[in-house]
Amino acid sequence: MKIAKRGRIPGFIVMDVMRAANERAATGADVLHLEIGQPSTGAPSKVLEAAKRAIDSELLGYTDAFGILPLRERLAEHYRARYGVSVDPARIVVTPGSSGGFILSFLAAFEPGDRVALAAPGYPAYRNILVALGLEPVEIPTGPDSAYQPTVPLLREMQEKGRIDGLILASPANPTGSIVSSEGLAEISRYCDEQGIRLISDEIYHGIEFEARAATALASSASAVVVNSFSKYFSMTGWRLGWLVLPEDMVRPVECLGQNLFISASALSQHAAVAAFDCTEELDALVANYRRNRDILLEALPKAGITEFSRADGAFYIYADVGRFTNDSAEFCRRLLAETGVALTPGMDFDPARGNRFVRLSYAGATEDVAKAAERIGDFLS
């Protein structure tokens, strides 16, 4: 029997690395996980308490396709308090993780064959979801000169080669941790509106910033789609809960798609997540830990001979150029894991054209583990 073309997209390499790391751990050998992009901590205490209450008191059946109203109202309050932006809860969609949000927004915003621009390096699932949905990813090669982010000149240059129907912009970004300034985001938003380009703003790492706060596209565009998640700042990866903030013209299309594709996000996760916004002190302590971990690597990597890497202004990643040591980042990561127990992700996951000389380091784990990993990387490269 045939397998449809959409089912032949590449795997998510970081998951393959994690499997290899877990296989090593199963033999009794130690592993330092700098490959996977998730907090090493569980959900905040008040979220766990809310989940227990919901188990005892709520039906936990299907919810409205857009999610329970208390959570959508709390999200609207979050936008008012954090960004000074007014958002009608009717425009907020609670989704099965940000992944569900990307699928819904791509399906509603684009027709098969539409061309959607995205930065390279960038999160590989963007590219693979687009391909699976019959869309064409248009990768914008970026580098340190643009902080690994799309810019209006870069976008204009891509348009000269063919039409652009959409733009995915992530700030803070995976794998680089780079942030677009509020002025830069406003400029990109205006340009997209003028050109009829649908802006999809990935804001799932908001809250994990070390210098300036990341801006939301909602402050500068009425037509942008914002994607966010409880996985990163809120430390709730396994709860599989995200959300969209939609422009008015996409509300009903996304509602119909959501009803048919997912019915609703997990009821238990939704009830628990209402309490997540009362956990700022606990969550900001995690961000302070990420900063400490980042600073350890920023000091250690140059000493190990790795001198070119992203600024890492947010999220919990550093994207590092290891081209002086290898032209095969996958083999580099395989040897590093086998010989030192340190798991990193090869850059090929994020940039098929140039990732052979890059690796991503995730520093979302324990500070002790990050420090040990930095020492082992230095020994490995010496």
Side-chain angles (χ1 to χ4, degrees):
M1 300 293 286
K2 73 175 183 179
I3 299 295
K5 182 179 178 181
R6 68 177 62 90
R8 298 173 185 167
I9 58 174
F12 196 174
I13 295 174
V14 66
M15 303 307 293
D16 295 336
V17 176
M18 186 174 69
R19 183 179 66 245
N22 290 337
E23 289 172 354
R24 173 186 167 90
T27 69
D30 72 329
V31 174
L32 298 173
H33 290 279
L34 274 67
E35 85 282 17
I36 193 69
Q38 70 171 347
S40 60
T41 51
S45 56
K46 290 182 180 178
V47 169
L48 298 177
E49 293 167 5
K52 293 172 184 175
R53 288 195 300 272
I55 289 171
D56 291 336
S57 62
E58 300 290 342
L59 176 63
L60 300 180
Y62 296 137
T63 74
D64 182 270
F66 271 17
I68 61 173
L69 185 58
L71 180 55
R72 293 157 62 200
E73 290 176 336
R74 190 64 188 83
L75 284 162
E77 170 60 21
H78 169 70
Y79 281 97
R80 186 201 64 76
R82 179 178 171 88
Y83 306 101
V85 173
S86 177
V87 177
D88 185 344
R91 293 170 50 206
I92 297 174
V93 186
V94 182
T95 60
S98 61
S99 301
F102 286 120
I103 292 169
L104 290 170
S105 58
F106 294 170
L107 283 170
F110 306 120
E111 296 287 355
D114 278 356
R115 304 175 79 243
V116 182
L118 61 160
Y123 180 52
Y126 301 148
R127 182 175 63 247
N128 295 337
I129 293 171
L130 290 170
V131 170
L133 296 180
L135 304 168
E136 181 181 348
V138 179
E139 296 191 295
I140 304 174
T142 65
D145 54 338
S146 68
Y148 293 97
Q149 288 286 359
T151 63
V152 168
L154 287 173
L155 189 56
R156 188 179 292 118
E157 184 179 327
M158 300 307 296
Q159 285 181 290
E160 292 174 358
K161 301 175 183 178
R163 84 174 190 282
I164 299 295
D165 301 293
L167 171 67
I168 304 171
L169 185 146
S171 174
N174 176 9
T176 62
S178 62
I179 293 177
V180 178
S181 69
S182 57
E183 297 80 11
L185 181 56
E187 183 183 6
I188 290 170
S189 297
R190 286 193 298 270
Y191 184 80
C192 287
D193 286 345
E194 291 167 1
Q195 297 292 313
I197 298 171
R198 181 74 74 175
L199 174 61
I200 310 291
S201 182
D202 179 349
E203 302 180 2
I204 73 172
Y205 291 97
H206 276 216
I208 309 177
E209 306 111 341
F210 308 122
E211 313 304 336
R213 274 190 171 187
T216 178
L218 298 174
S220 52
S221 175
S223 62
V225 177
V226 165
V227 185
N228 211 319
S229 171
F230 287 93
S231 291
K232 309 303 182 179
Y233 173 73
F234 295 101
S235 193
M236 295 174 62
T237 50
W239 298 72
R240 305 313 304 132
L241 199 67
W243 74 87
L244 298 172
V245 183
L246 298 171
E248 294 289 351
D249 62 333
M250 286 180 61
V251 170
R252 182 56 179 166
V254 168
E255 183 175 29
C256 293
L257 285 164
Q259 289 169 342
N260 285 281
L261 292 179
F262 302 116
I263 300 181
S264 68
S266 161
L268 176 60
S269 296
Q270 291 187 59
H271 285 283
V274 176
F277 299 95
D278 299 322
C279 303
T280 303
E281 183 176 352
E282 184 177 348
L283 295 170
D284 285 348
L286 299 181
V287 176
N289 185 68
Y290 303 148
R291 178 194 287 269
R292 285 191 293 271
N293 294 352
R294 180 200 66 162
D295 292 347
I296 288 171
L297 291 174
L298 291 180
E299 180 180 352
L301 291 177
K303 293 178 180 178
I306 301 174
T307 57
E308 301 293 331
F309 42 78
S310 57
R311 287 166 44 183
D313 293 325
F316 31 61
Y317 307 115
I318 292 174
Y319 195 63
D321 187 341
V322 292
R324 63 176 293 190
F325 301 103
T326 184
N327 196 41
D328 185 346
S329 58
E331 176 62 15
F332 178 89
C333 291
R334 188 199 65 76
R335 285 187 52 227
L336 183 69
L337 177 62
E339 297 178 27
T340 73
V342 176
L344 305 182
T345 304
M348 297 299 294
D349 222 7
F350 311 102
D351 186 349
R354 301 171 298 165
N356 57 295
R357 57 180 294 135
F358 287 86
V359 296
R360 188 192 73 176
L361 301 89
S362 171
Y363 49 87
T367 298
E368 180 182 359
D369 289 348
V370 172
K372 286 181 182 177
E375 182 178 353
R376 293 184 190 182
I377 291 170
D379 292 341
F380 177 76
L381 296 177
S382 62

